[in-house]
Amino acid sequence: MLLTTDTLYIFTTQKKAKYLDQIKGGRFPVEVLVKGKDAAENERHFIKITDAIKAAGVSHHAREFKKVGVLTKDTSSGPFIDEWKKIYADNCKDVEQVEIAPALSTAAFSVKDEAELRAMRSSSKACVALLTPYFLDEMSNILDQDKKIKHSALADKVYNKLEDENFWKSVQLPNRQKLPSDFDPEQLDWVLGPIVQSGGKFDLKWQQDSDDEILHPGIIIAAMGLRYKSYCSQIARTFMVDPNKSQESNYKFLLSVHNMILKGIRDGVVVKDVYSKALGLIKSKKPELEKHFLKNVGYGIGLENKDPTLVLNAKNQRTLRDGMTLVITTGFSDIQNPNPQDKNSKTYSLVLTDTVRVTAAEPVVFTGEAPVEVDATSFFFKDEDEAQPTPKKEKRDSRVGAVATKNITSTRLRSERNTAVDDDAEKRRRAHQKELSAKKQAEGLAKYAESTADQNGVEVKKFKRFESYKRDNQFPPKVRDMGIVIDQKNATIVLPVMGRPVPFHVNTIKNASKSDEGEWSFLRINFLSPGQGVGRKDDQPFEDASAHFVRSLTFRSTDGDRYTDIANQIANLKREAVKKEQEKKDLEDVIEQDKLVEIRNRRPAVLDNVFIRPAMEGKRVPGKVEIHQNGLRYQSPLSTTQRVDILFSNVRHLFFQPCEHELIVIIHVHLKDPILFGKKKTKDVQFYREATDIQFDETGNRKRKYRYGDEDEFEAEQEERRRRNELDRLFKSFADKIAEAGKNEGLEVDMPLREIGFNGVPFRSNVYIQPTTECLIQITEPPFMVITLDDIEIAHLERVQYGLKNFDLVFIFKDFTRPPAHINTIPVESLEDVKEFLDSVNIAYSEGPLNLNWSVIMKTVTADTHQFFLDGGWGFLQNDSDEEGGSDEEEEESAFEISESELDVASESSEEDSDFDSNASAEASDEAEMSDEEEGEDWDELEKKARKRDRESGLEEEDNKKGAKKQKRR
């Protein structure tokens, strides 16, 4: 190509000339000369170009100045070039060649416009995407799994990723940055590498491709450059695996030099000053690294991968301008390692490369999303050995030999437990409970200050709508036969009515039955309709009072087997529909957690060889728990897909239960919202390890020959105790690490207080229930029980009667729509402990002799909560417990009204468990008080006094009234 002030001459082949035809006739004259097979014709074209050079180079004022601008460093070879050089040498002897590369760089190429800068930015972001996350993830996985891979093989993985369309569609840059919406991966091409270097052999000039050496876990350098829409960018990072203090120190210094260079890049700065300032910092802070510092700190970049006229070294006099784009490369090569880990770690290099844009202030770093901090580029794969104090040797008794002195421990017998009531404690509790009850009543009135009644407590039910088919063509083809068709896919039964197929959704059908009369069989299909049910079961509301409903359809046929099959199919379909509806309802509160952010720059903390509950599908094998950036991950060894992720943001409680008095040691996570575990939902996930080893027979052991007594059993017990202590330490340490990782979410480790626990039946089996700082838990046996104390409104103790060996505990929650929690069959010996615990955690409690019907009570509470608290709130529970025998004052009637039939149900359920009537506790307390006051009276006198007291308190009248009412009902 020859550019003159008049014309652009292009001499090329015929094929390329066709492409250039479209630029003819533009603002600037273009003449395309076509190279052919005729040598004479080609020579004429060359001569025409030389004549144009001579004509354009002639000065009107001084003919002796003849100059032509050339790119002297661009050398080409071949017959075409040789022919041109010969003709040019013959015809242009007087023409002087001048290097124009600096002028082109300054005037045309170095300063970019907005479209060019956008292309540079996209190119840089693509570099970041390939380096991190892709290269970083691949490299860390290889190192984590101790795989052997060649530099070239790892580089090829990155190289081939350029053609992966799915990668570019889903790639996520660091800090949740994304590629531009109009990014086109088809426009990408490689200009550098990718280059992977490690193992002491480093070339920071990027003159060699990745070699076939094995990736060495030490200092690893990755560099790459891409071209997007013809515009280039570069990036390089240094990754350190298990670095020593010297390497960390040098990398931090490299980062400070790199940042200083970036701050010095701005409009109007002379290039050599940038380099000299960096060199000055090295000389003043770490002069020993001066000889390792690179001879330049970067160069210009754009259409060319490297602008040779804009190299940032100590000699370049060029001035930086706003809009220039540069590659900034800060590096130290071949540093001696004072503490090499192996022979490949004796020397190492460090480098950081970024693509930047010069502005009037600090530069814009296009590749800034790729992290450079020490924490982000350092990997630690060596196991962190926790500093543990050396265990003190236990002193042995010389007489016993192998038996440790602490084998026999002091134990407390059950018979020593004090079950007597502490009068002072009871008085203190009563006073405190009155305060708590008054406070609860005040809070209830304040919280429900306005009426919450919903149509007199009746829940408004909406008419459910179902749609089987939207169009006629969706009917099953079998309907043409005008028979009964069961459409499983659409949960619909199509019935022939008046010669037409009519669809009925399964949710409109109540049931179907088949009966036989003589030779005929009848199929009756009953439908759900308002007013059909009785009492509570009528859950079909009237949408339109004037509407007509079909109650049933009956079909007749001689084929009885066919009707039996249809009736069974309808029953199965109905069952499936109910099951799906229930599953949908159950999973309404299940949340989908955010994505777990894995730790990549170091090995995550791991607790290995643990089991998980609820158990995963398949064979029961132990897996491992890992702590990542925002949550936990349990990984099963059977499959990489068999894993459970738990985010810290969804954890409400974290428990650690030691294996003391238990067969397992536990880390238990109680979630805020349930998650799907397989096909079931769960709010509790537990990691545990069994604390006991497999037992074996030592009868024939050699020790028996020279040992007598129980020395070996004592040693085994000592070993068992030591192993349990080690397990507790390991799990407690891991639980603390979980709490530390989730401290931003307020996670803390909670431990059960076994000393104040008690036995009870929260579900099916009798278990040991233990309080913690914030909860009441049972996490040893599934199903687990975790009751948060802050969620409890009040507690009620049921079946507290003289003579009964057990009592029940009911927790009513602040969320009145939540069903109360029951803990049944608690031994009466634990009554004082339970009361003391409830009082100590400021939970108002009451007690009574009966089991109450809580479903009815809670319906009354939720129907109009405002009115409930106006009528005295939970005071109706206190009436029985506060009643003291011998009182002459009339007792206020309970504001809580309950129907007599419901009261009967409650009392009958209680009487089944007790041989005493409802007045047993009152009589017992009266007798106890009278026996305290007047000792020495016989039974007859006591009974007379008791009857007198009953008459005075009006109890007999109440009993008579109740009996009369029962007779009327009958």
Side-chain angles (χ1 to χ4, degrees):
M1 289 194 295
L2 171 67
L3 287 89
T4 69
T5 53
D6 300 324
T7 311
L8 166 60
Y9 297 93
I10 302 175
F11 187 22
T12 185
T13 58
Q14 188 169 3
K15 188 176 181 181
K16 292 174 185 173
K18 287 182 181 179
Y19 293 115
L20 296 170
D21 285 342
Q22 55 190 318
I23 64 171
K24 290 182 180 178
R27 191 173 58 182
F28 194 84
V30 177
E31 187 173 342
V32 179
L33 307 175
V34 181
K35 178 177 178 291
K37 294 181 181 179
D38 188 355
E41 182 68 20
N42 292 341
E43 188 176 346
R44 281 197 296 273
H45 290 322
F46 279 133
I47 292 171
K48 185 175 183 178
I49 292 172
T50 55
D51 291 343
I53 290 172
K54 288 189 285 185
V58 174
S59 170
H60 296 290
H61 302 288
R63 296 178 62 87
E64 65 272 12
F65 292 109
K66 296 178 181 179
K67 294 182 179 179
V68 61
V70 294
L71 298 169
T72 54
K73 291 186 179 179
D74 284 357
T75 56
S76 304
S77 60
F80 180 73
I81 296 299
D82 293 340
E83 190 177 349
W84 157 249
K85 284 182 178 179
K86 180 183 177 186
I87 294 172
Y88 175 80
D90 292 341
N91 291 3
C92 298
K93 294 178 181 177
D94 300 331
V95 178
E96 181 186 352
Q97 293 186 4
V98 180
E99 174 64 61
I100 62 165
L104 284 175
S105 174
T106 305
F109 299 127
S110 60
V111 177
K112 314 293 189 299
D113 60 24
E114 190 57 37
E116 293 174 305
L117 289 171
R118 272 199 297 272
M120 294 278 298
R121 192 178 291 111
S122 296
S123 175
S124 301
K125 286 185 181 293
C127 277
V128 172
L130 284 173
L131 183 72
T132 171
Y134 181 71
F135 172 81
L136 192 59
D137 287 355
E138 285 292 318
M139 181 190 72
S140 57
N141 285 336
I142 289 164
L143 295 175
D144 195 21
Q145 297 169 18
D146 291 331
K147 290 182 179 178
K148 303 295 182 186
I149 190 172
K150 295 179 181 177
H151 294 149
S152 54
L154 182 54
D156 287 343
K157 280 190 170 188
V158 183
Y159 184 89
N160 295 330
K161 212 66 186 171
L162 198 72
E163 307 295 329
D164 188 349
E165 292 182 10
N166 293 329
F167 170 77
W168 295 109
K169 286 178 184 176
S170 60
V171 68
Q172 182 97 17
L173 300 180
N175 301 323
R176 297 191 175 180
Q177 297 292 319
K178 291 185 178 180
L179 293 169
S181 56
D182 58 347
F183 182 78
D184 180 13
E186 294 289 331
Q187 302 274 2
L188 284 174
D189 196 10
W190 288 103
V191 293
L192 174 65
I195 296 172
V196 182
Q197 300 176 355
S198 71
K201 297 179 181 178
F202 300 97
D203 171 26
L204 301 189
K205 293 182 180 179
W206 319 130
Q207 293 177 343
Q208 296 179 357
D209 291 334
S210 300
D211 56 28
D212 291 334
E213 296 294 324
I214 299 297
L215 184 72
H216 177 260
I219 300 295
I220 300 171
I221 290 177
M224 59 191 71
L226 291 174
R227 175 180 276 121
Y228 181 74
K229 293 183 178 178
S230 303
Y231 288 88
C232 306
S233 66
Q234 285 185 27
I235 190 172
R237 290 290 184 268
T238 301
F239 302 103
M240 301 184 291
V241 180
D242 295 322
N244 55 41
K245 297 292 183 185
S246 171
Q247 290 172 326
E248 280 192 350
S249 172
N250 287 339
Y251 183 83
K252 287 178 181 176
F253 182 64
L254 171 78
L255 187 56
S256 65
V257 175
H258 189 69
N259 289 333
M260 194 203 76
I261 293 171
L262 290 177
K263 287 180 181 177
I265 300 289
R266 63 183 65 202
D267 184 44
V269 172
V270 179
V271 167
K272 67 175 186 176
D273 293 343
V274 176
Y275 185 84
S276 56
K277 280 184 180 179
L279 195 62
L281 178 65
I282 296 168
K283 287 180 178 178
S284 62
K285 297 284 176 140
K286 285 202 172 189
E288 68 274 12
L289 291 177
E290 182 187 351
K291 61 183 178 181
H292 302 289
F293 190 50
L294 299 179
K295 301 305 178 188
N296 66 70
V297 292
Y299 38 80
I301 194 170
L303 288 170
E304 285 187 293
N305 190 35
K306 180 177 181 179
D307 184 350
T309 68
L310 195 53
V311 178
L312 308 182
N313 56 23
K315 298 178 182 178
N316 199 330
Q317 299 283 348
R318 285 192 63 178
T319 303
L320 299 177
R321 293 285 174 239
D322 187 1
M324 285 184 173
T325 49
L326 309 171
V327 169
I328 302 300
T329 298
T330 311
F332 298 113
S333 62
D334 300 328
I335 307 170
Q336 297 298 314
N337 188 358
N339 299 310
Q341 296 94 326
D342 47 51
K343 64 179 182 180
N344 292 329
S345 303
K346 291 180 180 178
T347 61
Y348 64 94
S349 298
L350 303 171
V351 69
L352 288 174
T353 297
D354 281 306
T355 304
V356 304
R357 176 211 165 168
V358 181
T359 65
E362 289 190 10
V364 178
V365 183
F366 288 154
T367 52
E369 285 95 351
V372 293
E373 295 79 13
V374 179
D375 291 342
T377 57
S378 299
F379 296 79
F380 297 90
F381 290 101
K382 288 182 178 178
D383 293 332
E384 299 173 9
D385 297 327
E386 297 180 8
Q388 298 179 20
T390 53
K392 295 179 181 178
K393 293 184 178 179
E394 294 181 349
K395 294 180 180 178
R396 295 172 179 260
D397 193 327
S398 57
R399 294 168 298 173
V400 184
V403 182
T405 56
K406 292 183 180 178
N407 275 327
I408 302 171
T409 57
S410 60
T411 58
R412 183 182 295 175
L413 301 177
R414 282 177 294 177
S415 59
E416 293 175 4
R417 190 169 183 178
N418 184 18
T419 56
V421 178
D422 187 343
D423 291 335
D424 292 337
E426 183 65 25
K427 285 179 183 177
R428 175 178 51 79
R429 282 201 301 264
R430 284 200 175 190
H432 188 217
Q433 283 300 311
K434 282 186 179 178
E435 291 177 16
L436 291 175
S437 299
K439 186 179 177 183
K440 279 290 170 195
Q441 176 68 10
E443 286 176 359
L445 286 171
K447 186 176 180 181
Y448 302 98
E450 296 179 1
S451 177
T452 55
D454 183 12
Q455 297 201 0
N456 296 324
V458 179
E459 185 184 350
V460 178
K461 296 184 179 179
K462 294 182 180 178
F463 195 90
K464 292 183 180 179
R465 295 185 174 276
F466 309 100
E467 189 172 42
S468 298
Y469 309 106
K470 291 185 178 180
R471 291 177 297 278
D472 290 350
N473 60 4
Q474 292 178 333
F475 274 89
K478 289 183 180 179
V479 299
R480 296 171 189 158
D481 302 336
M482 292 309 294
I484 298 174
V485 178
I486 311 295
D487 187 355
Q488 298 276 356
K489 182 180 177 184
N490 295 300
T492 299
I493 294 92
V494 184
L495 302 174
V497 180
M498 304 294 287
R500 289 183 61 83
V502 181
F504 293 90
H505 197 278
V506 70
N507 287 336
T508 64
I509 294 175
K510 186 178 180 183
N511 54 36
S513 61
K514 176 244 182 186
S515 60
D516 296 312
E517 290 184 16
E519 62 179 4
W520 294 99
S521 293
F522 294 86
L523 177 68
R524 180 184 176 93
I525 299 174
N526 297 315
F527 298 98
L528 293 167
S529 58
Q532 186 179 7
V534 180
R536 301 176 195 166
K537 293 183 180 179
D538 184 16
D539 57 356
Q540 291 291 320
F542 281 97
E543 186 185 37
D544 181 4
S546 62
H548 290 242
F549 290 86
V550 177
R551 283 285 176 89
S552 65
L553 291 175
T554 305
F555 296 86
R556 187 178 72 167
S557 172
T558 55
D559 190 352
D561 293 340
R562 162 90 172 135
Y563 274 2
T564 303
D565 185 43
I566 290 173
N568 290 336
Q569 287 188 50
I570 293 174
N572 292 337
L573 200 61
K574 183 71 180 170
R575 199 178 299 114
E576 285 295 318
V578 171
K579 185 180 176 183
K580 283 181 182 178
E581 190 72 25
Q582 187 60 41
E583 285 178 355
K584 186 179 178 183
K585 192 176 179 181
D586 289 343
L587 297 178
E588 278 178 353
D589 56 346
V590 173
I591 63 159
E592 187 171 342
Q593 298 184 115
D594 293 335
K595 200 172 181 182
L596 186 80
V597 180
E598 297 182 36
I599 287 180
R600 289 298 187 186
N601 58 348
R602 59 182 173 82
R603 182 173 290 174
V606 177
L607 183 62
D608 213 343
N609 198 29
V610 293
F611 296 95
I612 188 171
R613 290 196 292 198
M616 304 184 83
E617 294 179 359
K619 191 178 178 182
R620 179 179 174 269
V621 290
K624 62 179 180 179
V625 188
E626 300 174 343
I627 303 175
H628 290 278
Q629 287 186 32
N630 64 337
L632 302 175
R633 167 169 288 172
Y634 176 82
Q635 181 68 59
S636 169
L638 296 178
S639 169
T640 54
T641 58
Q642 271 197 318
R643 62 190 185 193
V644 180
D645 292 347
I646 302 169
L647 297 193
F648 295 137
S649 58
N650 192 31
V651 175
R652 187 172 189 188
H653 299 296
L654 173 66
F655 302 109
F656 159 68
Q657 181 173 295
C659 54
E660 187 180 0
H661 306 291
E662 301 289 353
L663 296 176
I664 55 176
V665 58
I666 298 169
I667 290 176
H668 187 97
V669 178
H670 182 68
L671 306 177
K672 295 175 185 174
D673 297 298
I675 60 171
L676 271 181
F677 204 101
K679 294 181 181 179
K680 295 182 181 180
K681 69 172 185 177
T682 184
K683 255 193 170 185
D684 294 278
V685 181
Q686 184 180 102
F687 310 109
Y688 71 97
R689 193 186 290 180
E690 294 171 354
T692 53
D693 280 349
I694 298 171
Q695 299 298 317
F696 54 90
D697 185 14
E698 285 188 332
T699 314
N701 199 313
R702 286 193 309 160
K703 293 178 183 178
R704 292 283 181 185
K705 294 180 181 178
Y706 55 88
R707 277 192 177 178
Y708 301 95
D710 294 332
E711 290 93 339
D712 47 355
E713 279 85 354
F714 285 143
E715 277 196 357
E717 286 178 15
Q718 187 73 9
E719 176 63 22
E720 172 84 3
R721 192 177 294 117
R722 187 202 64 76
R723 190 172 60 252
R724 282 174 173 266
N725 290 338
E726 178 63 23
L727 263 181
D728 286 346
R729 187 201 63 78
L730 179 66
F731 270 65
K732 179 68 168 67
S733 170
F734 193 75
D736 290 337
K737 288 178 182 177
I738 295 173
E740 178 65 24
K743 62 183 177 184
N744 293 336
E745 300 291 341
L747 269 191
E748 291 182 0
V749 182
D750 211 353
M751 282 182 64
L753 307 169
R754 190 174 181 88
E755 300 78 26
I756 55 175
F758 55 91
N759 282 87
V761 183
F763 297 105
R764 294 182 297 271
S765 56
N766 195 320
V767 290
Y768 193 69
I769 296 160
Q770 304 173 83
T772 71
T773 310
E774 299 177 346
C775 302
L776 191 64
I777 65 168
Q778 187 286 119
I779 56 174
T780 308
E781 295 181 24
F784 307 120
M785 184 196 79
V786 178
I787 297 174
T788 306
L789 300 178
D790 284 344
D791 293 349
I792 297 171
E793 173 81 1
I794 60 158
H796 184 65
L797 294 96
E798 299 182 328
R799 292 197 302 122
V800 180
Q801 296 188 51
Y802 177 75
L804 291 185
K805 294 181 180 179
N806 303 304
F807 69 97
D808 304 331
L809 177 59
V810 181
F811 290 112
I812 298 93
F813 297 103
K814 291 175 182 176
D815 178 8
F816 294 148
T817 59
R818 185 176 167 187
H822 295 254
I823 301 175
N824 300 323
T825 325
I826 304 172
V828 74
E829 291 84 7
S830 302
L831 181 60
E832 289 302 308
D833 291 342
V834 170
K835 286 182 180 179
E836 186 62 34
F837 162 68
L838 294 172
D839 191 67
S840 66
V841 293
N842 295 325
I843 292 177
Y845 69 84
S846 55
E847 57 183 279
L850 303 177
N851 286 109
L852 300 177
N853 192 337
W854 284 102
S855 60
V856 176
I857 293 173
M858 295 315 295
K859 280 182 183 177
T860 310
V861 175
T862 53
D864 191 346
T865 314
H866 169 68
Q867 189 60 43
F868 171 75
F869 279 103
L870 277 182
D871 293 340
W874 303 108
F876 79 92
L877 295 170
Q878 297 282 357
N879 289 339
D880 290 334
S881 57
D882 289 345
E883 182 184 314
E884 291 185 13
S887 173
D888 293 335
E889 298 177 5
E890 284 191 5
E891 188 178 288
E892 285 185 15
E893 283 188 12
S894 170
F896 180 81
E897 295 181 8
I898 187 168
S899 68
E900 292 174 2
S901 61
E902 290 162 356
L903 188 61
D904 288 341
V905 171
S907 61
E908 284 167 12
S909 65
S910 175
E911 286 165 6
E912 289 173 5
D913 298 333
S914 172
D915 295 332
F916 294 82
D917 60 19
S918 60
N919 296 324
S921 61
E923 290 173 5
S925 61
D926 289 342
E927 290 170 11
E929 284 186 10
M930 287 184 290
S931 62
D932 289 341
E933 291 169 4
E934 302 175 18
E935 294 183 1
E937 295 179 350
D938 60 11
W939 284 106
D940 294 332
E941 289 174 354
L942 288 173
E943 284 179 0
K944 286 178 185 177
K945 285 190 177 183
R947 267 193 225 100
K948 184 181 178 183
R949 297 263 183 174
D950 288 347
R951 281 196 299 273
E952 287 173 357
S953 59
L955 286 173
E956 288 184 355
E957 287 181 30
E958 279 187 38
D959 289 341
N960 293 335
K961 288 178 184 177
K962 287 180 183 177
K965 286 180 182 178
K966 286 183 181 179
Q967 286 179 356
K968 285 178 184 178
R969 283 202 300 271
R970 289 171 189 166

